[in-house]
Amino acid sequence: MKNRTQFFCFIAFVVLSLIGSTYVSANAGNDSLYASAKLSEYERKRIFSELVRLQDSGSSKEESEAVIKLTYSISSETLLSILMEGYNKGWLSEIDG
């Protein structure tokens, strides 16, 4: 399972590198707050937890973020907003080790 996850992370990273992972939205200024607000707290926690687990399993920051953005169709700004919320609200302590 770990090898599959690493392989998927690698493939997602390569694909996003080739097509460019920078997404510019029409609402660039407030997009991340609006987009993350549309996600339920449960969804935001799940995204946060999955990112932490990918990185704990050995994926690089870039690979794990690429996988999460691709899987959940979210922007870098939305992911950053979720990460900040997770750290501020102590979601790390809720993740099973």
Side-chain angles (χ1 to χ4, degrees):
M1 182 71 168
K2 184 176 178 181
N3 289 336
R4 283 187 186 173
T5 302
Q6 289 176 333
F7 179 73
F8 181 72
C9 290
F10 174 74
I11 295 299
F13 180 72
V14 169
V15 168
L16 289 174
S17 295
L18 291 173
I19 63 172
S21 62
T22 305
Y23 170 75
V24 178
S25 87
N27 302 322
N30 296 320
D31 185 45
S32 65
L33 294 176
Y34 178 70
S36 63
K38 291 191 324 186
L39 297 168
S40 70
E41 183 171 321
Y42 173 80
E43 292 169 316
R44 295 189 311 271
K45 282 183 175 183
R46 188 175 68 197
I47 290 169
F48 179 84
S49 174
E50 193 169 329
L51 180 69
V52 170
R53 288 176 195 208
L54 281 170
Q55 290 179 357
D56 284 351
S57 71
S59 297
S60 71
K61 177 184 179 295
E62 293 80 12
E63 289 173 334
S64 58
E65 288 181 1
V67 168
I68 295 297
K69 290 188 294 185
L70 185 64
T71 302
Y72 293 98
S73 300
I74 59 175
S75 68
S76 296
E77 292 80 14
T78 299
L79 182 56
L80 178 60
S81 177
I82 292 169
L83 288 174
M84 290 172 44
E85 179 183 13
Y87 286 121
N88 290 335
K89 291 186 176 180
W91 291 349
L92 277 174
S93 63
E94 297 177 23
I95 296 173
D96 297 328

